[in-house]
Amino acid sequence: MNRLLLGDEIVVKSICAVPNGAMRATDLIWTGRVRRIEGPVVTMSVLTEGGAEVLLQADSGNLGRDDHGRWQVTLPMTHRLVEPAQA
């Protein structure tokens, strides 16, 4: 079946800008479920390693299938470099 449905599993990957401005894949990859579809906007629910539920939204035009037939989306994320605190 090619149609996205509520409850479908989805793999969420992320990209972020590096200092030279290029976009690069990060190691943040989650697996979640489709919770809502409103027009072109898809809301997904993923669980973090700490057990928190995070809701993410994407345009349905950015969703596709991976090599294994699972739904996937790559979202741009905002990251910042954090230096360890000195004791």
Side-chain angles (χ1 to χ4, degrees):
M1 180 181 278
N2 247 358
R3 190 167 168 229
L4 182 69
L5 300 173
L6 295 179
D8 279 356
E9 183 178 76
I10 189 161
V11 177
V12 181
K13 299 178 181 182
S14 68
I15 56 174
C16 71
V18 293
N20 68 6
M23 297 302 281
R24 183 173 297 161
T26 72
D27 60 354
L28 296 176
I29 300 174
W30 301 285
T31 301
R33 297 272 174 201
V34 174
R35 293 292 179 228
R36 188 176 317 136
I37 303 171
E38 294 176 327
V41 178
V42 176
T43 302
M44 301 149 284
S45 170
V46 298
L47 290 177
T48 66
E49 288 182 13
E53 180 181 29
V54 177
L55 297 177
L56 302 169
Q57 291 185 319
D59 185 292
S60 61
N62 294 328
L63 276 65
R65 298 274 190 172
D66 66 11
D67 294 337
H68 304 286
R70 298 175 299 187
W71 286 105
Q72 73 172 11
V73 65
T74 301
L75 299 175
M77 301 286 180
T78 302
H79 298 274
R80 61 186 171 142
L81 183 61
V82 178
E83 296 293 330
Q86 297 289 327

